[in-house]
Amino acid sequence: VALSAQASDNTSSASSSASGSLAFDPDAYTELTTTVTDTDGDEHDVTYHFWKAITYVADPVDEKYQSLTVSVPVVIDGTAVDASDAPILFANSVGGYMPSSVADATGVGSGGMSGGAPGGAPTGDASASAAPNANGNGNTNADGGATSSNQLLALAAGYVVVEPGARGRTLTDSAGEYYGVAPAAIVDLKAAVRYVRANKGRIPGNTDRIVSAGTSAGGALSALLGASGDSPLYDTYLEELGAADASDAIFATGAWCPITDLEHADGSYEWNWGANKLSTGSQVDQTVSKALQSQFAEYQASLKVKGLGRFGTLTARNYDEYLVRQYLEPSATTYLADLSDSDRETYLAANTFITWQNGRATFSWADFLTHVGARKKTTPAFDAFDLSAGENNLFGKGTTEARHFTAYSLRNDTTGVTGKRLDSDLPEVLRLMNPMYFLVDKPNPARTKHWWIRLGTNDSDTSHTVSANLAAAAHTLGDDVNHLYYWDQGHGANTDPGDFITWIAKVTG
Ligand code: DHB
């Protein structure tokens, strides 16, 4: 790749440079203003420079998706700020593994998904739509609106905000080929990181302090970006796109409700939600559910990851106790402690499964499951027997819209798929999409060492073990892990965005 040829100035480092179409133009911005309401309700006037839709690869497949925006604060509440060495928030807006574009973005936090009904909706479950994106993109979030989004708060804190688009699973070309299926989205995000790195010194911000953020499928990709930094496994894909010749490792990862570890997610889901009924009141096939649960037990035993808080090795037998002690009870405790005395009394009267004593909430796993109620997805939740899940499409290939990606669902296929083995490319594609591979199977020394992970306790888009295993795997390697669950919150919640911004300052400082 001829991208390391002479740069138009000498501000870039020797090891990474960009030229020609991949050189960031420091002067090509428009000046914008916005008012950001912080999490205390205080307003901040921010003047910032906005670079719109810059194509981040030399040989794009689709510029609509393979482009990014850059937002750099210059004046905050009347005081000039210099963001040239500030952390860089790298916030994707992927939902449902769908395409996400910033081509029409008009300012910070205004990009997003490009239509269609996202989400891994299995058989007619319209409720499994996109995350109410915790990262903004103009949608409201669980904290009450885009004014609290990560991007806006980051800007008001003086950080640089980079928002990349990425290809997604539904895109087809004129020949009917699916060009946004796995691993396209992660390759694009890596290419975007490389673009930022290659423009060190031209693009404002500290390229050694890139902090990724994303929600749901975007959270999965954010975690994967952090876990897989500089892995050579993506090189051929990146070369094909003419990605900049630079590191794609990132410093820290923020992941909200990551829908990840997909090839193990069906078993994990049944271990967690197997006894819960669907919103229709019907029970899922318990034979299937039980078979998948035993797959989870085997998988969990193979991971050999340690729980946080000095909990031992996590197994299918102790995981319920772990979730309750490490995450769920502390989550309920925080929630209840923040209520007024009378609101707490009301809540406890309506939720008698909780014991409130000495300022601490305790309860059983079984009661917690009853409290959450309906499970969102049928079984199997991710590799549907009839290929109807979004994830079946994610693992499509060529002109094939959807494929099975687990042996179990292939065996139980109801669509007439012939062949008894998974397609031979799939093991590699699954690795390229799974952060656990880079944390457990082949620990990646260039991974991010700082992890911010969040999940709503009511979120049944995937198993609670998925984010807990991600956290435990990073913790087992000695990484700095900040993981908690938001009490009574659903899919896509981000109720402590201000704390995330503070955390960035702490870990990058
Ligand atoms: C998302 C939700 C899902 O239930 C899923 O399977 C994949 C992605 C999402 O909201 O991004």
Side-chain angles (χ1 to χ4, degrees):
V1 194
L3 298 170
S4 48
Q6 99 243 53
S8 57
D9 62 29
N10 58 7
T11 54
S12 61
S13 75
S15 61
S16 60
S17 62
S19 66
S21 64
L22 293 185
F24 178 80
D25 180 354
D27 301 320
Y29 61 81
T30 44
E31 189 163 291
L32 301 174
T33 57
T34 187
T35 303
V36 177
T37 306
D38 69 21
T39 51
D40 294 327
D42 296 327
E43 294 192 343
H44 301 280
D45 295 322
V46 181
T47 303
Y48 66 104
H49 291 171
F50 180 68
W51 285 258
K52 57 180 155 197
I54 305 166
T55 304
Y56 53 68
V57 287
D59 304 312
V61 175
D62 194 334
E63 287 179 281
K64 180 174 178 196
Y65 303 101
Q66 294 170 314
S67 58
L68 56 75
T69 66
V70 178
S71 301
V72 178
V74 289
V75 181
I76 300 174
D77 293 331
T79 304
V81 294
D82 175 9
S84 56
D85 205 34
I88 298 171
L89 178 68
F90 185 87
N92 79 68
S93 291
V94 176
Y97 287 105
M98 297 291 282
S100 85
S101 174
V102 296
D104 300 322
T106 52
V108 68
S110 68
M113 289 173 300
S114 69
T123 43
D125 180 1
S127 65
S129 59
N133 205 322
N135 289 318
N137 86 9
N139 298 332
T140 54
N141 63 32
D143 196 47
T147 49
S148 306
S149 77
N150 290 338
Q151 288 95 312
L152 287 171
L153 291 175
L155 196 72
Y159 307 164
V160 171
V161 179
V162 172
E163 297 176 84
R167 288 169 293 166
R169 62 182 167 83
T170 52
L171 296 171
T172 51
D173 63 18
S174 55
E177 298 248 358
Y178 283 84
Y179 65 90
V181 293
I186 185 62
V187 172
D188 286 352
L189 295 181
K190 282 174 171 289
V193 172
R194 288 184 177 208
Y195 173 88
V196 173
R197 267 270 170 55
N199 281 290
K200 176 179 176 164
R202 269 187 294 255
I203 206 163
N206 184 344
T207 57
D208 291 328
R209 292 292 180 271
I210 298 174
V211 182
S212 168
T215 302
S216 197
L221 291 165
S222 181
L224 180 58
L225 198 61
S228 69
D230 283 344
S231 167
L233 294 183
Y234 303 85
D235 282 352
T236 52
Y237 295 97
L238 288 160
E239 274 163 32
E240 244 173 70
L241 295 174
D245 186 12
S247 165
D248 57 59
I250 58 166
F251 184 77
T253 283
W256 284 259
C257 51
I259 305 285
T260 193
D261 201 6
L262 297 172
E263 64 270 43
H264 305 111
D266 289 334
S268 309
Y269 198 94
E270 296 312 317
W271 176 87
N272 194 147
W273 308 115
N276 290 44
K277 292 183 171 149
L278 293 161
S279 57
T280 57
S282 56
Q283 191 81 261
V284 300
D285 185 327
Q286 289 298 297
T287 308
V288 171
S289 182
K290 289 279 167 1
L292 289 168
Q293 285 177 46
S294 64
Q295 290 177 24
F296 170 74
E298 216 174 292
Y299 170 60
Q300 192 62 47
S302 77
L303 282 180
K304 299 188 179 68
V305 291
K306 284 183 297 197
L308 274 67
R310 288 191 249 135
F311 203 90
T313 303
L314 299 172
T315 70
R317 278 182 311 281
N318 66 20
Y319 222 125
D320 51 351
E321 189 196 341
Y322 175 61
L323 288 174
V324 169
R325 300 277 174 272
Q326 177 67 23
Y327 294 116
L328 301 173
E329 287 176 347
S331 169
T333 296
T334 302
Y335 172 84
L336 287 164
D338 286 349
L339 293 181
S340 67
D341 287 349
S342 71
D343 285 352
R344 187 182 317 113
E345 266 169 42
T346 305
Y347 188 91
L348 290 168
N351 295 279
T352 52
F353 73 99
I354 299 177
T355 302
W356 179 252
Q357 218 166 37
N358 304 322
R360 279 189 56 226
T362 54
F363 47 83
S364 72
W365 172 245
D367 285 342
F368 166 74
L369 292 175
T370 305
H371 174 65
V372 174
R375 54 184 277 165
K376 191 162 189 176
K377 296 179 176 183
T378 185
T379 195
F382 294 89
D383 189 351
F385 292 157
D386 64 358
L387 293 172
S388 64
E391 285 73 13
N392 292 119
N393 177 209
L394 177 64
F395 293 107
K397 183 185 168 65
T399 56
T400 303
E401 179 179 6
R403 293 190 297 173
H404 290 298
F405 53 95
T406 66
Y408 180 77
S409 288
L410 177 63
R411 275 202 304 281
N412 289 284
D413 170 79
T414 58
T415 70
V417 171
T418 54
K420 296 230 157 23
R421 279 163 188 268
L422 292 177
D423 288 349
S424 61
D425 64 300
L426 273 169
E428 175 72 358
V429 175
L430 289 165
R431 267 198 290 281
L432 294 172
M433 292 300 288
N434 197 335
M436 299 299 281
Y437 173 75
F438 300 95
L439 298 174
V440 176
D441 304 55
K442 288 250 158 46
N444 174 18
R447 71 183 180 280
T448 185
K449 307 297 191 310
H450 304 279
W451 301 83
W452 176 273
I453 307 171
R454 293 292 185 268
L455 182 64
T457 59
N458 279 353
D459 189 338
S460 65
D461 274 54
T462 192
S463 170
H464 282 353
T465 61
V466 169
S467 65
N469 269 336
L470 181 67
H475 167 73
T476 301
L477 294 175
D479 295 354
D480 158 34
V481 179
N482 187 319
H483 182 18
L484 60 77
Y485 288 48
Y486 304 128
W487 186 250
D488 277 356
Q489 295 290 319
H491 190 57
N494 177 10
T495 61
D496 60 352
D499 293 346
F500 177 57
I501 300 304
T502 307
W503 178 81
I504 293 175
K506 195 184 96 192
V507 300
T508 63

